[in-house]
């Protein structure tokens, strides 16, 4: 079921590349807004309290980190999986994630 979800959502994983390419610019924009607007600083502080102490910047890095964790996750699953249809699907999902990560690295 997990592998099926990754295979089905595979085309959407390509959005990670766009997100990651714009990550540094997003951080720069946040920094600029913090310098320019006290109300933005107050908003971020309020949102951080609501988010269990996580800053906006720490939340924005999560998708970037996730893209590096998915291949490790699938490697672990494949090591503990036997042969058969489930393994084949896991291998397809792992290949899809690896392809997205490779495309990102080529485009950076």
């Amino acid at each position: 079921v997990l592998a099926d979800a990754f295979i089905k959502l595979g085309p959407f994983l390509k959005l990670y590349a766009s997100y990651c390419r714009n990550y540094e610019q997003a951080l720069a924009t946040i920094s600029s807004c913090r310098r320019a607007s006290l109300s933005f600083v107050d908003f971020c502080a309020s949102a951080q309290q609501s988010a269990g102490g996580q800053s906006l910047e720490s939340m924005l890095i999560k998708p970037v980190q996730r893209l590096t964790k998915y291949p490790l996750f699938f490697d672990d699953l494949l090591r503990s999986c036997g042969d058969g249809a489930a393994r084949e699907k896991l291998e397809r999902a792992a290949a899809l994630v690896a392809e997205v990560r490779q495309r990102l690295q080529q485009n950076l």
Side-chain angles (χ1 to χ4, degrees):
V1 176
L2 175 73
D4 289 332
F6 271 86
I7 292 167
K8 184 177 182 179
L9 296 174
F12 298 104
L13 289 175
K14 295 173 184 172
L15 294 172
Y16 273 110
S18 177
Y19 182 92
C20 292
R21 274 193 304 275
N22 293 305
Y23 173 74
E24 293 294 328
Q25 181 61 42
L27 291 180
T29 301
I30 290 168
S31 179
S32 175
C33 289
R34 285 184 192 276
R35 287 190 303 272
S37 172
L38 184 56
S39 62
F40 183 73
V41 171
D42 291 341
F43 168 78
C44 288
S46 175
Q48 185 169 345
Q49 286 179 336
S50 298
Q54 286 191 322
S55 69
L56 179 56
E57 293 84 353
S58 69
M59 288 186 272
L60 288 175
I61 191 69
K62 299 254 184 238
V64 177
Q65 293 170 332
R66 196 170 296 126
L67 190 58
T68 63
K69 289 181 182 180
Y70 283 152
L72 301 172
F73 172 70
F74 279 108
D75 286 347
D76 285 345
L77 284 176
L78 285 167
R79 275 195 293 276
S80 63
C81 183
D83 291 333
R87 181 175 187 82
E88 182 180 316
K89 287 182 181 182
L90 283 173
E91 287 172 344
R92 283 180 40 210
L96 179 68
V97 169
E99 177 186 338
V100 170
R101 187 170 178 215
Q102 184 179 16
R103 282 185 189 174
L104 173 62
Q105 289 172 333
Q106 290 172 347
N107 291 327
L108 289 182

